[in-house]
Amino acid sequence: MTGRPIRALVWVAALAVSAPAIGQVLREDPRQAQAPIAEAPPLADSVSRLLGAGHLREDEKRALRVFHGAWSAEDLASPALRARAALIVGAWDDPVFSDEAVPAEDRAEAMLRRGDLERAIEALAGATSVRSRRIRAQALEGLGRFEEADAAIEPVAALLRRARADRAEDLVEGVRALAIRARLRGEPAQNHQTFLALVARARDEIDRLYWPAHVAEAELLYDKDNSAQAREALVRALALNPRCADAWRLLGRMAVDGFNMDGVDSIAGRLDALLGTLPDAVGAGSAIASSLRARARLRRNDPDGALEALAPTLARMPKQRELRALEAAAHAVRYDFAQADARLAALDEVSPGAALGYFEVGRALAEARQYQRAAAYLEEASSRRPDWPPPLVELGLLELQAGRDSRALAALRRVAELDPYQVRARNSLELIEELLTYDTVESEHFVVRFKPGVDRVMAEEMLGPLEDNHRIVAGAIEHEPARKTRIELMPDHRWFAVRITGMPAIHTIAASTGPVIAMEAPKVGPNHTGEYDWVRVIRHEYVHTVTLSRTKNRIPHWFTEAAAVYLERAPRDYDTVRLLVDALTNDALFDMEEINIAFVRPKKPTDRAQAYAQGHWMYEYIVERWGASAPLRLMDLYAEGVREEAAFRQVLGVTRDEFSRDFAVWARAQAASWGMLPEPTVRALLVEQTLADEAGRDRVRSALGRFALDAALALAGAGRAGAFEPPLVEPTEAMVDGWLERLGDHPGALQLKIGLALQRTGGEPTMDLAPTLERYAAARPVDPAPHRLLARLWLASEDPADRLRAVEHLEYLDAREQQAPVYASALARLLADAGRLDEAATRAERATTIAPFDPALRELAARVALAQRDLPRARRHIAALTRLEPGREVHRRRLERIDDLIARGG
């Protein structure tokens, strides 16, 4: 009684073709192998057993509880233990560090972390432990006194050379000190494996519960782009000390890298909460949390939010170098370069010659695609620390995305010399050296670079469609880039992924970095994503190139994607329509903040697709309400550095919240015009029918009781039955015919009528169903299902005239198809058989565009061209066949024959 109505509707889903959003540019850092944990793992059993050991004195247990992050307020009565706990949770400015009873090394560590470097050195006067020498060297490095820092580490190096350290702390601190020396001496890769082995010895042989060894291991791994193993080490560290702020800090950095903003927020909140484990804690929050929030907001292009996150902590710790560097970066991303430079100059006063500030500014600007300025800051950072790889890595990747290969090559080769463990840099260097072997073809506005061999077949055919795309896009955006756009046709998915991210995995097929568009060749087979409509995809990407150029790379993410989908000039597919209507009716449309995040860090599997689709819808709304010039005027304000809220007020005369509210009203009217919001709903009609006779009432009364029946009657009377789930009457074709007679061409009723008829015929459409299919196609013009059924119906006919009735339906389907040449090739054959050769040729060309490496489609296109007497076009396809199937002699003979025909004038 309740199942068949649902089954009758299954035909719609079964016939739908799913197509992913195209042109996605993943801004995620591929080092983020998996989402970082936000909850601490349970305390290791070995730690729990140790803390409960009966042979330990109470003071020993108290010290162990502090060391393993399991303290209570009573455990922190002594200044020394409170100071140790404060260091663990990152409370570097806790008042306890003013107490002389706190060991000098702990006081110096706190001073170091909050930026009081001179005082840290003074506090260590006379100290000779390995840890004290590491702190002193790190402070001297921060002050720009590099030779003194190197000298401070020499006793540690001598100790480790002549003696085997037997304390885990000495071994770990020694590794940290030697890592500083390697950085100072420009030898970042030297002894990397030795450092890992020494940390492993501390961890596995000397003290299996010494959690700082795991943190040190994670730091070493993360520094070399090995986030997956670093994460494993951090999980082990947190199992031994769940309150370790340094472990949470590194997990937070991984969350920032992976654009996991929810993860960042969760970790930052945990870090703030850790301060509350100290009795009578003071301060405005965790400094580590402030830096993570600032980094996250910079990645979201929210520099004002970054400054807001930094301000309270900088007021407490004005000399903290990382926070000051991020502050300068935030001003740069606000395009206030005078303030950014002023902050860098102030940072230079406390850390002469420091590279950190210039590095953070350059990296943030590169993220914002401000390539020229970013390169200048990164070059300055590198000139200050020539042997420090991070600025060179970012510079090399930046230059690669900007299309300046020689500059990228120089930077990445230098990185390879310094540190071959830098994975992204190594992959990108391999890519550039590969690209140097590629051939090129050029037109007025494009350069196509491709791997010699079979890819030439496609590359040589790309220039005409690319110039067509230029006319469409440049005309609509009213702007031309200053230089030719380079299209890099990558031979397979691995090379494409490395081209975009520096790592061999990415979930898209084409991406624009501004002056360069990389695309994967549309091939089938291992290490290929498959065939696709590359002309549409590249038009989407070229919109990014042009809008980024017009706005000086200052366009909001959603807006450039919206413009790109809009200018694809293709109808929405049905999956997209249903996704939008579902979001609309469930009050799940994104607000203006959420839509940007959804592109790069979706919370649900459908979020990224919804972001593309909703952005396109909003762009349509802007054009319809404010005119075609409104998006262009917004772009010009973005180019001036005006933020979105102010730009909306100036051009559209509304706030972003008002825009979202008004858009939802407009969107509902649009969805209704598509036939997607029929009233009453089919379920409401079934409820009404169920309650129309006493038998139905009895079934409902038995299932739900009298009160529920009354409520159901009220709902049905109001045309609302969303919360009503009683046993419904089984629909019949006669019943649905009655609804249609009363309601007219109700889309839901027509859909159900078709579903019931297909149940009766075993899923095959019949001629008597054709009128209903036509009515449904008109009532719900966004649904491809009736067009598929009608195409199948007419193509099965033996009457040539009937077969041609399939053309309009195949054209409907082909306009929405992005990944297969099936409809285009079917149209080409059908139209050619009917003698409509010009139309057939257009469809054959489209088929070979989607699948340029398919020999069968090349044969089809050549046959149509020959039937038209279009010998040059036929020759192009036959020449392609000689490359696609070089072993087939027939292609060579055909090429010779057609060359002879052309030579003799046809």
Side-chain angles (χ1 to χ4, degrees), residues 711-754:
L713 285 166
L715 286 169
R720 296 181 294 108
F724 182 43
E725 297 292 345
L728 301 181
V729 66
E730 183 175 331
T732 65
E733 291 185 65
M735 180 190 301
V736 177
D737 286 339
W739 297 346
L740 290 169
E741 184 176 350
R742 174 161 58 95
L743 299 171
D745 284 352
H746 184 287
L750 287 166
Q751 182 186 40
L752 183 55
K753 179 177 174 64
I754 294 166

Side-chain angles (χ1 to χ4, degrees), residues 84 153 227 229 249 372 390 595 626 707 779 806:
R84 198 168 302 164
I153 296 167
S227 287
Q229 287 186 294
R249 174 188 62 82
Q372 285 293 126
I595 192 169
W626 288 281
F707 176 79

